[in-house]
Structures are given as structure tokens and as C-alpha cells.
Amino acid sequence: MSKTAAVIKGDGVGPELVDAMLKVAKAAGTDVEFVPCEAGAAWWEENGGNSLIPDETWGILESSDACFKGPTTTPGGAGSPKSVAVSIRQKYNLYANVRPTKTFPNTNTPLGEVDFICVREGTEGMYIGEEVKLTDDVYIALRKVTRPACRSIARYAFEEAKKRGYDTVVPIHKSNILKQTCGTFLEEVENIGKEYPDIDIWEYHIDNIAQQLIKNPQLFNKKVLLSTNLFMDVISEECSALIGSIGLIYSANIGDNYAMFEPAHGSAPKYAGEDKVNPVATILAGAWMLDYLGEKDNANAIFKATEEVISEGKYVTYDMGGSAKLSEMTDAIVSKIK
């Protein structure tokens, strides 16, 4: 039986990007059945409610083998629902948000070539979205850190390093100030690290590593950068600039029994329908999903074709210094696969 993937096209540029991903996946010969479903700000603005995800979509997610999520917009302001990604991560305990960060050939490298992995705890931290109003002038945001979640993400990071042949896990924290929350995170990383004697632990304070990634990013090549939810959200965004465009950063949200794949960037509503934005992150997130679902050869074919198109530089989008449209770059990737 073929595997099934729930597909959320999302908001802004999401639908055209997801269509590009599906076109490439089908060109590679996938047997995965893609099941479209609704979620995001556009759906919510039309239907209302306390969630950006309708009940029908939850039903499709329950019966699928994985989820692909295009970029979605999260409304701001008190009382608005939590994001689509956060909702799915928390529902299915997708504790590992993973972003490979590697320079592509023939692209802008602002500070030299880099090659490392960003691993972010995806279910806790500030992203629980719990805030308390004490007075009209005082508000408090709660940060949740639990030992089980810290152990899960630490083990994932060490296993990822072991699988890739990396020699170091880099836990990023601020335990000199946040002594209990960051302190607990660091303790659990160190405890799990004892089971991996061949992998070093380099601990960095969040402010220091933000500087070091600019000063000497190659220091972290072939290493796993690891942190709690909000800290790694910020650091991984900084890391995306090191390869020239967040449009090249694909990501996965991985749990023990389920996974969701998505580009790392947002929905960019000002570019919606303009056939302009970079499709690479979305296409490669789709390829990663095919790998997860057992189609390794198809995934490899997509990665190889995409890298060839980027390397040639003829059909690349504006953020990579080219003038190709989204659809033109997609068609070039499809041609390479065929």
C-alpha cells in the first residue's frame, strides 16, 4: 500500500510553492498519495473559531503517514489562535524541529561555506503561549521546560550527530541567568551525552554563539547546534543568512511516530500570486518527506536535480541573484529529474 501525506497549502505564497513541490514529487515518480486539507489564517478569517485548523483537517492528519505544511500566517493580538505549526507539533509531540544549514554550490556565501544542523525543541519553552496579566501595566510570559522533553531532544541531537558522523553537539542556553529552566536543559544534555563518549559537548551562551556565528561560523561545521524552542528559533534564523537566503532552508518536525515537513520561511503575503519566490526550501522539504516515507531514491533524485539547477545558476530566483520565476525554477528542476 502506498503511503499518504496530508498537505496543507497554507497562506500567502504557500499554495503556489506547494504546487511546485507536488509537481516535482510527481516528476520523480512518487507513489505517495497527497491528501489536501485546509488550515491557516485565510481559512480562519472566513470560518472563525479558536483554531487555525478545522476538525476535518485533524481527521486527515490522524489517518495520514506524514504531513506537509506550506507557509501559514499566524494572526497576532490577544485571543487569536496559536500557529498551525505549533498546534501540530504539540498535538503529535513533534519535539525535534530540524534545519540542515548547508551552503549550496554557486551561491552567495556572506561569511564563507557552512555545513551544520540546527535542532530545536519544538513543543515547550515560550511557545506554549501562556501569558498572565498581573496589572494593567504588568504582564508575564511563562517558559515551560521539562526534563522528559529535554531528554528527548538531547537524545535526538546526539543520535543525529552519530548518524552523520559529526563529533560535537553544541547546547545553547543562558543558565547563568535562567538557572532552573536553562539549567535543567543543560543538565539533561550532559546526562545524555555520557551515553555518547565519542561526541563532544560544547556549551555556549545564547548571546555568545550569536556573535560566534558571525565571527567564525566555520567553527561549527559538521556539528549539531541544539537549543530550546525560542532560542533556536532565533539562532536558526541567523544561520539561514549564512547560506544567503532563508528560501534555501528546508525543515522537518519529527516525533517518535509522526513527522511534519515544511519550508523554514513564512508566508510572504506581499508576494502571493507573483510567481516570484524561491521554491527550493519547499521542494526539498517535500523530498525529505519522501525519504521519511520510504522513497529514498526519489528524494535523492530531487536533491540532486535541485543542486544542479542552483549550481548552473541559469534558472534561479531573485534572492539568489537570478531572474527566474518560481515556476521557471521548478520546471528546470523537473527537467533535470526527467
Side-chain angles (χ1 to χ4, degrees):
M1 293 180 62
S2 64
K3 299 292 182 71
T4 61
V7 176
I8 297 169
K9 290 192 174 183
D11 301 305
V13 296
E16 55 196 302
L17 286 171
V18 173
D19 284 344
M21 181 277 291
L22 294 172
K23 184 174 185 178
V24 171
K26 290 170 183 176
T30 183
D31 289 324
V32 172
E33 179 186 357
F34 299 104
V35 184
C37 47
E38 298 279 357
W43 175 87
W44 178 74
E45 287 164 2
E46 184 175 335
N47 295 275
N50 60 3
S51 174
L52 298 181
I53 304 175
D55 291 342
E56 294 80 4
T57 294
W58 284 119
I60 293 171
L61 292 170
E62 286 288 340
S63 63
S64 65
D65 297 297
C67 172
F68 189 92
K69 187 190 77 66
T72 50
T73 301
T74 304
S80 59
K82 68 176 66 175
S83 80
V84 174
V86 169
S87 299
I88 296 174
R89 287 171 191 154
Q90 292 177 346
K91 170 75 171 178
Y92 295 106
N93 193 27
L94 307 183
Y95 53 83
N97 176 256
V98 189
R99 293 186 180 186
T101 305
K102 181 179 180 180
T103 304
F104 284 86
N106 194 32
T107 56
N108 177 33
T109 55
L111 299 173
E113 294 189 1
V114 295
D115 182 6
F116 51 78
I117 303 290
C118 293
V119 173
R120 165 189 174 191
E121 199 290 315
T123 64
E124 295 189 338
M126 298 290 282
Y127 275 73
I128 63 169
E130 295 292 335
E131 298 175 296
V132 179
K133 176 183 177 181
L134 298 183
T135 73
D136 286 342
D137 296 320
V138 180
Y139 301 82
I140 293 176
L142 303 179
R143 183 187 195 221
K144 179 184 177 183
V145 172
T146 66
R147 290 191 183 275
C150 291
R151 283 195 288 269
S152 292
I153 198 63
R155 187 172 300 281
Y156 184 92
F158 280 98
E159 283 294 324
E160 190 71 13
K162 180 180 177 181
K163 180 178 75 175
R164 293 175 178 269
Y166 291 3
D167 61 3
T168 306
V169 168
V170 183
I172 300 162
H173 62 98
K174 194 63 176 174
S175 65
N176 58 332
I177 304 298
L178 301 169
K179 299 178 188 294
Q180 294 189 67
T181 51
C182 274
T184 296
F185 165 72
L186 188 58
E187 283 177 14
E188 293 302 328
V189 173
E190 291 171 343
N191 288 337
I192 294 295
K194 294 173 184 176
E195 302 175 26
Y196 300 84
D198 296 331
I199 299 176
D200 293 335
I201 298 175
W202 292 359
E203 60 167 284
Y204 274 81
H205 285 157
I206 177 71
D207 45 349
N208 185 18
I209 201 164
Q211 177 209 171
Q212 293 298 327
L213 284 165
I214 302 302
K215 182 180 178 182
N216 186 16
Q218 286 72 39
L219 182 66
F220 303 103
N221 282 347
K222 305 297 183 182
K223 293 171 175 49
V224 176
L225 276 57
L226 168 67
S227 195
T228 48
N229 208 331
L230 182 59
F231 282 175
M232 185 50 76
D233 186 22
V234 175
I235 289 299
S236 62
E237 200 84 358
E238 179 185 5
C239 291
S240 72
L242 297 174
I243 69 167
S245 172
I246 197 169
L248 298 169
I249 299 285
Y250 53 99
S251 72
N253 304 272
I254 299 172
D256 293 332
N257 302 301
Y258 198 71
M260 174 178 67
F261 299 82
E262 60 180 339
H265 57 76
S267 59
K270 69 179 180 179
Y271 295 132
E274 293 188 6
D275 194 19
K276 180 176 182 178
V277 297
N278 188 341
V280 170
T282 307
I283 288 170
L284 294 187
W288 196 356
M289 183 176 72
L290 297 188
D291 190 354
Y292 174 82
L293 293 174
E295 295 189 358
K296 187 173 290 292
D297 289 345
N298 288 339
N300 288 340
I302 294 171
F303 271 96
K304 183 173 182 291
T306 303
E307 290 189 4
E308 286 179 4
V309 170
I310 294 172
S311 182
E312 289 175 0
K314 185 177 180 181
Y315 294 105
V316 297
T317 50
Y318 74 98
D319 56 313
M320 289 186 283
S323 59
K325 296 179 179 180
L326 183 164
S327 58
E328 291 172 336
M329 188 170 187
T330 302
D331 288 343
I333 294 169
V334 167
S335 295
K336 291 290 184 184
I337 292 171
K338 289 182 177 179

